[in-house]
C-alpha cells in the first residue's frame, strides 16, 4: 500500500450503473456513470501504452492503447468499495487517467493471482483499454468546476465525450 501511495498516481474510478439490464442478452441498453471516486493506483506498464497502438483501419483511425494498473485491495475497499458498494473492481467500469486526460475501460480484473503474498490477496491487477464512446451517459451530479477535480467534472458533467 505504501509503495502504491509513493510511486502511484491518483485515478478516478467511475462505476457503471445499469439502467435497463437485459438478462437474456446480458447487456444494458443505457449505461450511466453517476459517480466517481479517487483511488491510488500503480502503473505496471512503464514503457508507455501497450496494445496495438494507433492504426488506420477500414473505418478510419483507431486508437487501441492498453494500460495495466494495480490497486491495493485495502485502498480500493476504503476509497471506492464502501461508497459504491462494490466488493472488487468490475469489468466495464471506467478509469479517468489524469496524466494524459484519457478515459480507460476495465477489460479484465486479475483477482486470483498465482502467488499470494503473505497468504492473502493484497492487490488487484486491472487490464484496461482506451474507452470508445457508444452512447453512455455521464452524470456525476457535481456542477462546481472550480473544485480540485474540476477538469474531470467539466469533461463528464451532463454531456457526452
Amino acid at each position: 500500500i505504501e509503495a502504491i501511495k509513493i510511486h502511484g498516481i491518483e485515478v478516478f474510478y467511475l462505476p457503471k450503473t445499469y439502467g435497463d439490464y437485459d438478462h437474456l442478452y446480458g447487456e444494458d441498453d443505457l449505461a450511466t456513470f453517476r459517480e466517481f471516486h479517487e483511488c491510488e493506483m500503480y502503473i505496471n506498464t512503464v514503457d508507455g501504452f501497450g496494445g496495438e497502438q494507433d492504426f488506420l483501419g477500414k473505418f478510419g483511425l483507431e486508437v487501441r492503447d492498453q494500460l495495466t494498473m494495480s490497486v491495493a485491495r485495502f485502498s480500493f475497499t476504503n476509497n471506492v468499495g464502501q461508497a459504491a458498494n462494490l466488493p472488487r473492481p468490475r469489468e466495464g467500469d471506467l478509469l479517468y487517467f489524469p496524466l494524459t486526460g484519457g478515459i480507460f475501460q476495465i477489460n479484465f480484473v486479475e483477482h486470483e493471482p498465482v502467488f499470494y503474498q503473505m497468504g492473502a490477496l493484497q492487490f488487484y491487477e486491472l487490464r484496461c483499454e482506451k474507452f470508445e464512446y457508444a452512447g453512455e451517459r455521464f452524470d456525476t451530479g457535481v456542477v462546481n468546476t472550480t473544485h480540485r477535480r474540476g477538469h474531470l467534472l467539466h469533461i463528464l458533467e451532463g454531456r457526452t465525450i
Side-chain angles (χ1 to χ4, degrees), residues 1-159:
I1 296 173
E2 291 84 13
I4 292 177
K5 283 190 179 254
I6 293 169
H7 301 291
I9 62 165
E10 289 284 330
V11 174
F12 297 98
Y13 185 91
L14 290 90
K16 182 189 268 187
T17 305
Y18 296 103
D20 187 19
Y21 189 74
D22 186 356
H23 294 284
L24 180 64
Y25 291 112
E27 63 184 19
D28 184 13
D29 292 338
L30 183 63
T32 306
F33 298 94
R34 298 184 192 275
E35 57 186 283
F36 66 95
H37 308 279
E38 284 185 82
C39 193
E40 307 91 18
M41 295 190 187
Y42 179 75
I43 305 169
N44 291 352
T45 51
V46 295
D47 295 338
F49 296 115
E52 299 174 14
Q53 301 297 325
D54 304 342
F55 68 93
L56 191 59
K58 188 178 201 179
F59 301 106
L61 182 67
E62 293 186 31
V63 179
R64 296 209 178 157
D65 293 337
Q66 292 181 346
L67 181 68
T68 304
M69 302 185 82
S70 294
V71 59
R73 185 181 63 145
F74 181 78
S75 295
F76 182 83
T77 302
N78 287 344
N79 297 334
V80 180
Q82 292 176 351
N85 197 20
L86 296 175
R88 68 175 184 89
R90 297 180 304 185
E91 290 84 358
D93 290 349
L94 301 181
L95 298 175
Y96 175 73
F97 191 62
L99 195 60
T100 62
I103 298 177
F104 289 83
Q105 183 174 12
I106 301 172
N107 288 341
F108 181 72
V109 178
E110 182 64 62
H111 61 281
E112 294 180 353
V114 178
F115 301 109
Y116 285 95
Q117 298 172 355
M118 300 188 302
L121 177 65
Q122 302 298 325
F123 65 92
Y124 299 109
E125 188 174 283
L126 310 175
R127 297 192 188 120
C128 310
E129 193 169 286
K130 190 80 167 181
F131 175 67
E132 292 183 26
Y133 179 72
E136 292 85 354
R137 294 168 111 189
F138 293 92
D139 185 19
T140 58
V142 181
V143 184
N144 185 5
T145 57
T146 60
H147 195 268
R148 191 180 99 163
R149 303 176 196 111
H151 182 65
L152 170 68
L153 298 178
H154 182 68
I155 291 172
L156 301 179
E157 184 58 40
R159 64 187 185 106

